[in-house]
Amino acid sequence: MAPHTSYWDAVYGKLIVESVGITPTLLTAAEYFYFPLSLGLKILGCYPVGGVKGHNAIMDVVDFFSSRDRAHVVICPEGQLKPTDKWNPGFYYMAVKSNVPIVVGYMDYKKKEAGFKAIILDLSDKDKVMQILHDSYEGVSAKYPEKFLLPKLNS
């Protein structure tokens, strides 16, 4: 789900996914799971990943998927709220190792619309997946447009 330039984007993203009848889990950095914030995050359906040195967040997600018959996870591919054109490829590796597709969700604040742009089933080529994401999010307006950059592509 992108763009992600405000903490509210997570709440809106969850509501967008729920609007099609899916109850998603929001992946959230484990560092935010401290009392009392952890109570609110659990109510929102957040799942802590990473945050421990030497601990692999990708394997947390693989374990999450393998321990459930059915799961839907919302991830922001930028990996942070700060502007960056170096999107963290962790979401890609999570999908590959979990053998799940990537569903490209979006929120366009300028057009006041949200939804899904694509379902990426073929995850055999990371550069191709990044190209699809780049193309899907081109022209999408973030809440704070100056904070949203498209991923830099390998040329």
Side-chain angles (χ1 to χ4, degrees):
M1 183 68 71
H4 183 43
T5 61
S6 160
Y7 287 111
W8 283 104
D9 294 335
V11 175
Y12 298 146
K14 180 176 173 65
L15 292 173
I16 291 162
V17 175
E18 286 179 344
S19 75
V20 295
I22 296 170
T23 303
T25 298
L26 304 175
L27 295 186
T28 307
E31 65 196 48
Y32 294 116
F33 279 81
Y34 57 85
F35 186 81
L37 184 59
S38 59
L39 297 175
L41 293 175
K42 288 177 183 175
I43 289 169
L44 280 173
C46 296
Y47 182 80
V49 293
V52 178
K53 188 174 181 173
H55 187 79
N56 190 326
I58 293 170
M59 294 315 296
D60 283 346
V61 176
V62 172
D63 291 344
F64 176 85
F65 276 115
S66 67
S67 68
R68 289 157 175 80
D69 290 333
R70 184 178 177 140
H72 301 87
V73 172
V74 175
I75 301 172
C76 298
E78 306 101 316
Q80 59 187 339
L81 290 171
K82 295 180 266 183
T84 182
D85 63 0
K86 295 178 184 169
W87 287 15
N88 184 331
F91 71 91
Y92 170 79
Y93 295 113
M94 290 171 187
V96 169
K97 290 184 181 295
S98 299
N99 195 30
V100 298
I102 295 173
V103 178
V104 183
Y106 77 101
M107 297 172 289
D108 191 315
Y109 283 84
K110 186 175 182 179
K111 293 178 184 171
K112 295 185 177 163
E113 66 180 27
F116 305 95
K117 295 261 188 186
I119 299 174
I120 307 171
L121 300 171
D122 179 4
L123 302 177
S124 61
D125 183 343
K126 183 177 71 146
D127 291 337
K128 184 176 176 184
V129 169
M130 294 305 285
Q131 181 70 56
I132 292 169
L133 292 175
H134 181 279
D135 295 349
S136 294
Y137 291 120
E138 196 164 35
V140 173
S141 297
K143 181 171 181 69
Y144 300 107
E146 69 281 2
K147 291 184 176 184
F148 181 62
L149 301 175
L150 293 172
K152 190 173 190 177
L153 302 172
N154 294 334
S155 305

